[in-house]
Amino acid sequence: MDKRTFLKTSVLAGAGALLIGNEKIQASINPGINIADDSMVFIQPPLPYAYNALEPTIDAQTMEIHYSKHHATYTKNFNAELKKQAISTTDINEIFKNVSKYSMVIRNQGGGYYNHNLYWNIMAPNAGGEPVGGVAKQIIADFGSFAKFKEDFTKAATTQFGSGWAWLIVKDGKLQIVALPNQDNPLMDLSPVQGKPILNIDVWEHAYYLKYQNKRADYISNFWNVINWKKVDQLFTMVG
Ligand code: MN3
């Protein structure tokens, strides 16, 4: 395993062992990003589908700007700040566990880096529908029904004031919903509720404004059509 492959593997393990798409597809949809930039410890994983793959839920232009500008910038700034602060660990869990000791830049840019990695991976074309596998059973055990879970998660995402994310986490073997501001993440030591994330939704305006304008609720209700439950179940099995 060469250095880059090792780093990529360990970074992805840190991000919940996300499975990613292949680099050839990525190069064809996103020639602007040099994902092989060796100056970065934390690379931006390839988007696992084309920019237009989640239409009509998420339009191609929003996806392109979100991935190639917003997420790429978080990635770049996170790496630059790690270098500046001489933080050498390649384990993002370790960084988040100690995030209160670091600069606000690490918190914001590191969160922005990780949160989008998860978000891209828990969505897919031709997805949505009902949860599957172990996570489906756990949802019923902890929320009573999928409908109730959907209602609670929707409420958390809709009522998060300003920018932030809604999360489904595993905590002490149980599922829990939490909404956090900005780019905070449930793995961070300063998160009021901590746990291992297996599903999230970005409710920053940049995630939906081009298509939905002020109608955050419509974006959230359409989000259910693109959730990759197989991936969520894999993550649940991995962290549970
Ligand atoms: Mn975003």
Side-chain angles (χ1 to χ4, degrees):
M1 199 184 274
D2 63 22
K3 178 177 168 247
R4 194 174 141 246
T5 309
F6 169 75
L7 287 175
K8 185 188 276 185
T9 308
S10 56
V11 165
L12 292 170
L18 299 171
L19 307 175
I20 58 173
N22 89 41
E23 291 183 17
K24 279 181 192 149
I25 293 171
Q26 176 54 21
S28 65
I29 61 167
N30 190 22
I33 297 284
N34 178 13
I35 56 168
D37 182 346
D38 281 337
S39 71
M40 292 196 188
V41 172
F42 291 93
I43 58 136
Q44 184 182 26
L47 202 61
Y49 35 73
Y51 290 135
N52 65 0
L54 301 187
E55 287 192 344
T57 298
I58 298 179
D59 62 287
Q61 192 187 14
T62 297
M63 185 60 85
E64 179 167 3
I65 295 170
H66 203 174
Y67 177 82
S68 73
K69 307 289 185 208
H70 291 277
H71 190 207
T73 302
Y74 289 122
T75 305
K76 189 168 156 260
N77 292 346
F78 180 43
N79 280 283
E81 183 70 7
L82 289 168
K83 206 170 177 184
K84 196 173 149 197
Q85 303 289 334
I87 299 166
S88 59
T89 179
T90 55
D91 183 350
I92 202 161
N93 291 293
E94 274 306 306
I95 295 171
F96 285 180
K97 257 194 263 172
N98 296 291
V99 82
S100 59
K101 296 176 198 151
Y102 297 132
S103 67
M104 199 67 178
V105 180
I106 294 287
R107 176 178 174 180
N108 290 336
Q109 306 295 330
Y113 168 72
Y114 178 114
N115 300 350
H116 292 89
N117 288 350
L118 180 64
Y119 177 63
W120 309 136
N121 275 276
I122 53 80
M123 297 189 290
N126 308 312
E130 302 263 329
V132 294
V135 77
K137 290 188 188 118
Q138 198 66 43
I139 283 172
I140 291 168
D142 294 334
F143 298 96
S145 65
F146 177 52
K148 181 67 167 70
F149 163 72
K150 214 168 151 177
E151 187 188 322
D152 291 357
F153 189 85
T154 297
K155 192 178 171 198
T158 310
T159 58
Q160 167 58 37
F161 182 75
S163 297
W165 296 72
W167 299 86
L168 178 63
I169 61 171
V170 182
K171 183 182 168 67
D172 305 324
K174 291 191 167 201
L175 295 172
Q176 202 173 323
I177 294 164
V178 57
L180 297 173
N182 305 315
Q183 296 295 354
D184 285 358
N185 176 296
L187 293 167
M188 291 180 176
D189 63 353
L190 41 70
S191 173
V193 181
Q194 290 168 45
K196 293 172 183 164
I198 59 170
L199 170 71
N200 64 358
I201 179 172
D202 189 344
V203 294
W204 283 59
E205 285 186 345
H206 68 227
Y208 61 87
Y209 210 86
L210 286 178
K211 181 177 166 71
Y212 296 93
Q213 291 84 46
N214 59 319
K215 300 183 198 83
R216 183 193 283 192
D218 291 356
Y219 156 65
I220 295 165
S221 76
N222 287 343
F223 174 70
W224 298 97
N225 299 328
V226 292
I227 296 181
N228 182 353
W229 284 110
K230 268 189 204 158
K231 183 57 58 66
V232 177
D233 185 48
Q234 280 174 11
L235 292 169
F236 172 74
T237 305
M238 241 176 267
V239 305

